[in-house]
Amino acid sequence: MTGHAFIEIEGGKPLSGSVCVQGSKNAILPMLAASLLPEKGCSVIRNVPPLNDILVAFELMRHVGATVDYFANEKVVCVDATHLTRSDLPESLTCRLRASVLFIPPLLKRLGEVRLPSVGGCPLGARNLNYHYRGFARLGARITSGDDFVISGEAFTGNTMYLDFPSHTGTENLMMAASFSKGVSIIENAASDPEIYDFANFLIKMGGRIHGLGTRTLTVEGVPALTPIDHYAMNDRLDAGLFMMAAGIAGGKISIIGVAPGDLRILIEKMMQMGIDIGINGHVLDVSSPGRGLKPVNVLTCPYPGFATDFQPAIMALSCVADGQSYIRERIFDKRFSQVAELRKLGASIDLDEEDGLAIVNGPTTFKGADTNPDNIRAASCILLAGLACPEKTIIRNVYQIGRGHFDIENRFQQIGASVAIR
């Protein structure tokens, strides 16, 4: 899925059948970083899909000296970090993976310093890393910045830390660092997403002591050492949401297998308000939709348990086929509307006030085929959804982006009757 490949979609067909949800990228990436904390032995993480971001993380881990054996068919990775040898994170990898910052705490603990050039990922505007660095400094790290960021230190002491914004990676980083700092740390305004919960349980299994899971205040007691473990990572609610909205926009009925419905409550409610039928059958969601004649929706993104910013581009595609005006407000990222230009190529009518973070979608849209080039995972997912509702051919360039967040997209969509091919 690299080079000049593109996704070709011929939409206008209702979906049917079943699809399984993949393992959660946003839970697995911090687990991979934390698997470098034990000083000897192998950790095993299961339910790990071969997403581009995860494969880059493996390269980073090998670069610093870890042995990483990945069994793609079994979705299992085995990590042995007994012999870490270097603490510089190369720009060729960090520019492709914003989650590179998660490797700071384990390298700081094991080697006493980390060198970090730039950090990549999705171009979503101001995603400030200062609160990561301020948190490390409060625990006793020294931070110097020239051409590289250098974070160093030997002895760390627990402290109270406050996140200006309940950042996912910020919370994970400070949980890891607090776990090897002597005494007790309190992390205020922590993120409370399900992925944070799963990752905290990963650290607890390793011997960490973390209290207050699921709340905005975490208390972490430092421990002398963490030990290797075997852990089955949670499923990906963002992957589940993509398929839910695919059924919503294309019409038809599909079953989505491996869902934690409680993690998707707000998305389920919003889709039901639009006139999509969602049946919860344990950990399976049955989603059926007429695909047209949907009701407009109002959405305001905010930290969990609010409406996830990662779902905003996809629900914008869905709102394009609703009868009337939908109001979509983005309150997390200031560059999270990049999909609007691509949706307009497909014929969507969207009024945008970027300063106020407001998009007004004027539905219903009759989509027409176009050649698109979305610049991040979620924008690519949005165009994929629009393509499912477009009777003509839709092309999505930049295939690498969707492969950062969704595994084997071509076959999984073909399984439910969509005409999606990688050329």
Side-chain angles (χ1 to χ4, degrees), residues 22-91:
Q22 70 186 24
S24 168
K25 176 187 88 156
N26 288 342
I28 291 162
L29 288 171
M31 291 174 189
L32 291 172
S35 68
L36 303 184
L37 284 165
E39 298 197 356
K40 58 177 190 292
C42 295
S43 283
V44 175
I45 307 170
R46 302 173 189 273
N47 199 27
V48 178
L51 299 170
N52 291 336
D53 278 7
I54 285 173
L55 301 178
V56 174
F58 292 164
E59 286 182 58
L60 259 176
M61 295 161 75
R62 291 179 181 126
H63 171 85
V64 299
T67 303
V68 180
D69 294 316
Y70 180 53
F71 305 91
N73 289 342
E74 291 84 3
K75 312 278 192 303
V76 169
V77 64
C78 178
V79 180
D80 185 346
T82 308
H83 304 291
L84 295 189
T85 52
R86 54 196 300 181
S87 60
D88 62 305
L89 299 180
E91 187 160 14

Side-chain angles (χ1 to χ4, degrees), residues 191-338:
S192 60
D193 309 60
E195 296 81 1
I196 303 278
Y197 197 95
D198 196 30
F199 175 56
N201 280 322
F202 183 88
L203 290 175
I204 289 166
K205 265 169 108 170
M206 285 184 137
R209 294 182 186 153
I210 303 168
H211 311 282
L213 296 193
T215 75
R216 285 263 185 266
T217 303
L218 298 175
T219 305
V220 184
E221 297 174 57
V223 293
L226 293 168
T227 53
I229 58 161
D230 185 331
H231 185 78
Y232 192 97
M234 68 181 280
N235 279 350
D236 194 328
R237 64 192 166 112
L238 305 179
D239 190 61
L242 175 68
F243 284 97
M244 289 164 65
M245 288 185 268
I249 198 167
K253 180 176 181 180
I254 66 169
S255 294
I256 303 166
I257 297 162
V259 177
D263 296 348
L264 291 160
R265 279 197 306 268
I266 292 190
L267 180 62
I268 290 170
E269 287 299 322
K270 289 290 178 190
M271 289 179 66
M272 288 173 75
Q273 283 170 24
M274 294 181 81
I276 296 160
D277 193 40
I278 299 179
I280 300 172
N281 182 10
H283 290 277
V284 175
L285 288 187
D286 298 311
V287 183
S288 57
S289 169
R292 56 179 64 85
L294 298 178
K295 298 183 186 75
V297 70
N298 290 338
V299 164
L300 172 75
T301 67
C302 44
Y304 189 86
F307 191 91
T309 180
D310 285 319
F311 288 143
Q312 180 263 102
I315 206 158
M316 183 180 285
L318 190 54
S319 65
C320 286
V321 300
D323 291 343
Q325 283 190 324
S326 294
Y327 288 76
I328 297 178
R329 291 178 173 82
E330 175 58 53
R331 291 290 181 264
I332 307 287
F333 294 128
D334 51 6
K335 296 272 193 307
R336 183 58 108 182
F337 280 143
S338 70

Side-chain angles (χ1 to χ4, degrees), residues 72-210:
N73 289 342
E74 291 84 3
K75 312 278 192 303
V76 169
V77 64
C78 178
V79 180
D80 185 346
T82 308
H83 304 291
L84 295 189
T85 52
R86 54 196 300 181
S87 60
D88 62 305
L89 299 180
E91 187 160 14
S92 59
L93 296 175
T94 61
C95 72
R96 289 159 59 195
L97 182 68
R98 187 173 186 276
S100 308
V101 293
L102 291 165
F103 290 92
I104 296 171
L107 293 174
L108 195 55
K109 166 77 167 78
R110 296 289 308 281
L111 299 173
E113 77 159 34
V114 191
R115 289 177 178 272
L116 185 76
S118 66
V119 178
C122 291
L124 297 171
R127 300 174 75 171
N128 200 328
L129 295 173
N130 282 351
Y131 40 75
H132 296 246
Y133 301 136
R134 279 203 304 272
F136 298 140
R138 286 184 71 77
L139 296 170
R142 293 182 300 281
I143 295 157
T144 49
S145 64
D147 294 338
D148 289 351
F149 261 118
V150 182
I151 303 159
S152 58
E154 290 76 45
F156 302 94
T157 307
N159 208 331
T160 298
M161 294 166 283
Y162 175 79
L163 290 163
D164 293 332
F165 176 83
S167 146
H168 220 279
T169 47
T171 302
E172 291 156 348
N173 255 344
L174 298 184
M175 278 199 296
M176 271 192 276
S179 288
F180 58 74
S181 298
K182 195 171 182 179
V184 176
S185 295
I186 294 171
I187 305 169
E188 295 280 14
N189 201 29
S192 60
D193 309 60
E195 296 81 1
I196 303 278
Y197 197 95
D198 196 30
F199 175 56
N201 280 322
F202 183 88
L203 290 175
I204 289 166
K205 265 169 108 170
M206 285 184 137
R209 294 182 186 153
I210 303 168

